[in-house]
Amino acid sequence: MSKLGQTPSQTVGPYFAYGLTPTQYGYPLKSAAGPEVEGLAQAGGPRIRLEGCVLDGQGAVIEDAMLEIWQADAQGRYPGAPSGANSSFSGFARCGTGTAPDKSYRFETVKPGSTQAESAPHINMIVFSRGLLSHAYTRVYFEDEAVANESDPVLALVPEARRHTLIAKRMETDQGIVYRFDIKMQGDSETVFFDV
Amino acid sequence: MTDSLSPRDWASHPAYIDPGYKSTGLRGPKQPLIKLPLGLGETLGPRFGREHVFEKDADLTLNGRVNGEPQGERIIVTGRVLDEDGRAVPNTLVEIWQANAAGRYVHSKDQHDAPLDPNFFGAGRCATDDQGVYRFMTIKPGAYPWPNHFNAWRPNHIHLSLFGPSFGTRLVTQMYFPGDPLLPLDPIFLATPEVARDRLVADFAIDVTQEAYALGYRFDIVLRGRNATPMED
């Protein structure tokens, strides 16, 4: 049977903020999703902040990018999973890079648990920006999960020299645990992007 | 959730680096993508539907009113959200944003010397119904200049963002208007593989057009579908 052709992706452009992240940017429309994952109180596990900058091929900070994250809760349960879902946890958040003084993104969430015995905890992420014609998928793994990362089947697909681009650095700050994950669109340490 | 997911068809989507669209030069990934085996993180996804849509959200001629009607040509934009096998994608969120009739965005960074319209905000959302149908009432957006090259103007367009049933079906795209003379000059439209470009152009539809009120356009959106290949996790 012949299939319908997929509608092509197009760039999110420079002016997405009042449509997709209006509350964060101070526009008079309620965002469908903000930088804090909903249902954190019921998510279990340690609260974390995930933050970083998106950098272009010359190392300049991209001020008009938008990130989305999608993750399991602290027990490794995705919302909507066929068994054992956590119905009060949204698992999703969205943040633009135009509002923080350093033009970073900042997500408030929990550290996810492993979804499978052999897979390391991770957060799924999509990058959108002006100049990015198709959205780019990446994954955030955690520095303090070195043992689990060693046996993760997806990290194993990544050339060893590039794996570090997927590992967030852990920092203990007076505001709690922060994982730092910069995204390099190009260059020597270009972040690994996936064909999802 | 999808029980499986057909591949992202790269013959339909623009490449990351396009010589005509200058901003891609430093922003598009250059390393090859690594094929990800599908797991729950890809075949499940956030649930955004009717509960995230409020009254007036789908009518952009109403949702930004301060003291009167927005300027410009009223249009209706409707269509179905389908997967590649033609199945309806029900109850999924469609978010849109666009310039006003003069080609000016509400966004604070838009410095184009064209008037803002105090009665037009330019963003809205709706959820598809059980047949996958979405529908917006809005104003036809104007063309506007951009700094990509000398005398560069974006064709009239509406930005759309869709979730579909999984994180893997996520799509952000733009809808263009039939017969726009700027289309063959627009690097963003032209970055799309030729075989797929017409999927970005809406059809004028007299059956959608509302007598003595607004012209109608039909724009169907096709998201990734299912695949016979079983998922690996």
Side-chain angles (χ1 to χ4, degrees):
Chain A
M1 188 182 113
S2 87
K3 291 200 166 204
L4 299 175
Q6 292 174 16
T7 301
S9 178
Q10 297 276 274
T11 178
V12 75
Y15 304 133
F16 62 82
Y18 71 93
L20 297 182
T21 52
T23 306
Q24 180 195 343
Y25 283 69
Y27 291 101
L29 177 69
K30 187 177 184 298
S31 296
E36 180 172 320
V37 177
E38 289 177 28
L40 291 185
Q42 292 81 37
R47 286 277 294 263
I48 62 166
R49 174 186 284 177
L50 175 65
E51 67 173 35
C53 287
V54 186
L55 304 159
D56 74 10
Q58 292 180 333
V61 174
I62 295 179
E63 302 183 3
D64 51 8
M66 184 180 85
L67 293 308
E68 290 180 347
I69 58 169
W70 166 241
Q71 65 167 93
D73 71 6
Q75 280 75 51
R77 301 176 298 183
Y78 275 101
S83 61
N86 176 354
S87 61
S88 56
F89 176 69
S90 76
F92 180 81
R94 181 188 270 175
C95 187
T97 59
T99 59
D102 61 351
K103 307 303 178 190
S104 62
Y105 70 84
R106 297 175 183 178
F107 287 111
E108 301 293 334
T109 185
V110 292
K111 189 176 174 189
S114 292
T115 51
Q116 295 252 309
E118 71 275 22
S119 84
H122 65 273
I123 293 175
N124 309 288
M125 178 180 271
I126 302 180
V127 183
F128 303 86
S129 82
R130 173 175 67 82
L132 197 57
L133 282 159
S134 294
H135 54 287
Y137 287 87
T138 187
R139 279 187 173 196
V140 183
Y141 288 87
F142 299 93
E143 181 181 38
D144 53 334
E145 297 285 349
V147 174
N149 291 344
E150 279 293 317
S151 57
D152 183 80
V154 170
L155 281 174
L157 299 172
V158 177
E160 198 170 352
R162 300 189 66 203
R163 277 178 211 159
H164 70 98
T165 70
L166 299 178
I167 313 286
K169 293 200 164 39
R170 186 179 193 275
M171 302 181 292
E172 287 181 24
T173 74
D174 51 11
Q175 294 171 63
I177 298 166
V178 174
Y179 285 92
R180 177 83 190 184
F181 185 75
D182 289 334
I183 298 150
K184 294 179 179 164
M185 301 309 298
Q186 298 179 353
D188 286 343
S189 295
E190 179 180 313
T191 298
V192 169
F193 297 103
F194 293 100
D195 184 7
V196 171
Chain B
M1 172 179 187
T2 54
D3 47 8
S4 63
L5 194 59
S6 60
R8 216 168 162 193
D9 174 23
W10 288 100
S12 294
H13 299 289
Y16 281 121
I17 307 284
D18 184 85
Y21 178 19
K22 297 223 174 79
S23 299
T24 64
L26 288 173
R27 292 184 168 201
K30 289 185 167 174
Q31 297 286 334
L33 302 182
I34 292 175
K35 185 77 187 165
L36 190 71
L38 296 177
L40 292 177
E42 293 72 43
T43 57
L44 294 171
R47 291 157 296 177
F48 286 105
R50 282 164 206 132
E51 66 281 12
H52 292 89
V53 177
F54 304 98
E55 200 188 351
K56 293 187 186 173
D57 276 355
D59 189 339
L60 284 71
T61 69
L62 284 179
N63 73 7
R65 283 193 192 195
V66 174
N67 57 6
E69 278 204 71
Q71 300 282 322
E73 179 186 338
R74 281 186 293 260
I75 59 170
I76 295 159
V77 177
T78 187
R80 295 181 74 200
V81 181
L82 303 166
D83 73 12
E84 289 166 275
D85 294 315
R87 298 183 190 93
V89 180
N91 196 24
T92 195
L93 189 68
V94 182
E95 297 169 278
I96 68 168
W97 68 104
Q98 62 166 88
N100 68 20
R104 179 79 187 266
Y105 285 87
V106 159
H107 196 289
S108 61
K109 290 272 171 67
D110 184 3
Q111 299 298 310
H112 175 36
D113 180 21
L116 284 167
D117 183 336
N119 293 303
F120 189 71
F121 182 64
R125 57 177 80 111
C126 74
T128 56
D129 69 13
D130 291 344
Q131 279 73 49
V133 175
Y134 71 92
R135 185 178 189 276
F136 289 99
M137 177 76 77
T138 185
I139 296 291
K140 190 173 184 186
Y144 61 87
W146 62 307
N148 189 70
H149 57 275
F150 175 72
N151 214 7
W153 292 77
R154 293 294 334 274
N156 305 333
H157 64 277
I158 296 175
H159 296 267
L160 299 102
S161 169
L162 296 99
F163 284 95
S166 73
F167 203 53
T169 55
R170 189 83 177 84
L171 177 72
V172 170
T173 188
Q174 300 181 28
M175 183 203 99
Y176 302 96
F177 290 83
D180 191 327
L182 292 169
L183 282 174
L185 303 173
D186 180 52
I188 295 178
F189 180 68
L190 296 178
T192 309
E194 191 170 2
V195 63
R197 277 177 210 156
D198 62 356
R199 299 176 206 156
L200 296 172
V201 182
D203 292 319
F204 169 70
I206 193 69
D207 58 317
V208 173
T209 297
Q210 196 170 320
E211 160 78 7
Y213 194 74
L215 292 184
Y217 291 90
R218 183 173 283 113
F219 183 65
D220 290 340
I221 299 158
V222 178
L223 304 178
R224 292 164 64 183
R226 302 175 199 178
N227 198 344
T229 309
M231 51 186 265
E232 300 191 18
D233 134 0

